[in-house]
Amino acid sequence: MEFDNLVKLIQAVSESELTRFSYEENGVSISMKKDKKQKLVTINNVAETAGSGLPVLTAAEAPAGNADISGQAEGNIVKSPLVGTFYSAPDPESEPFVKVGDPVSKGQVLGIVEAMKLMNEIESDYDGIVRQILVSNEDVIEYGQPLFVIG
């Protein structure tokens, strides 16, 4: 692929709603991925209202998977042992390994992290109930990032 065409392809993918794109031609492959954004909505003060009697809400943009877990559900935190892409199910057509409220036992697979084309199973270090899932399917995650809260 010529450089000009490559630049046009990158621009087209960047301006689109796509979050992941792969292309292969003559043994050369190109893969692009955009980080997803999610809206975090917090209630500042329940007593404070916006004239309509409804609580005032503020929203902030934050990258998916960077949730602050302080002050949220109590329990044991399962963290990522490596950097990679998180997958909640063994393949796109399958149900997730676990959902919030599911009982889990030590050693049970909670998800998969793909790193350098290798699929690494993330196992629970604890027995308990899944209280929170702190990442979404296909999120890029960091080493030591909290993934699950098991209580």
Side-chain angles (χ1 to χ4, degrees):
M1 176 176 278
E2 294 181 19
F3 181 75
D4 291 338
N5 291 337
L6 179 60
V7 171
K8 289 178 186 175
L9 177 64
I10 292 171
Q11 289 173 340
V13 171
S14 295
E15 294 169 0
S16 74
E17 295 293 318
L18 294 173
T19 57
R20 177 175 273 180
F21 176 81
S22 296
Y23 176 80
E24 187 170 335
E25 180 181 320
N26 299 329
V28 176
S29 64
I30 299 169
S31 181
M32 294 180 250
K33 182 174 181 182
K34 289 193 282 188
D35 284 337
K36 299 175 187 175
K37 297 275 186 180
Q38 71 180 20
K39 292 264 186 192
L40 297 177
V41 179
T42 58
I43 298 175
N44 281 344
N45 184 350
V46 178
E48 191 177 324
T49 62
S52 64
L54 299 173
V56 175
L57 301 178
T58 60
E61 290 276 329
N66 290 341
D68 177 20
I69 61 166
S70 59
Q72 294 182 6
E74 293 181 16
N76 299 304
I77 308 295
V78 176
K79 297 181 180 180
S80 176
L82 63 160
V83 174
T85 303
F86 175 80
Y87 295 102
S88 60
D91 59 70
E93 292 80 33
S94 296
E95 289 292 314
F97 288 106
V98 294
K99 297 179 195 129
V100 173
D102 286 353
V104 295
S105 25
K106 187 173 182 176
Q108 181 176 340
V109 175
L110 303 173
I112 295 173
V113 175
E114 177 187 4
M116 297 174 53
K117 303 289 182 191
L118 295 175
M119 300 297 181
N120 302 278
E121 293 182 339
I122 304 301
E123 298 177 351
S124 177
D125 296 328
Y126 314 100
D127 291 328
I129 305 290
V130 177
R131 299 290 180 205
Q132 284 185 309
I133 300 174
L134 305 170
V135 291
S136 298
N137 192 45
E138 297 185 5
D139 278 354
V140 176
I141 58 172
E142 301 293 326
Y143 170 79
Q145 179 177 341
L147 304 175
F148 298 91
V149 177
I150 309 293

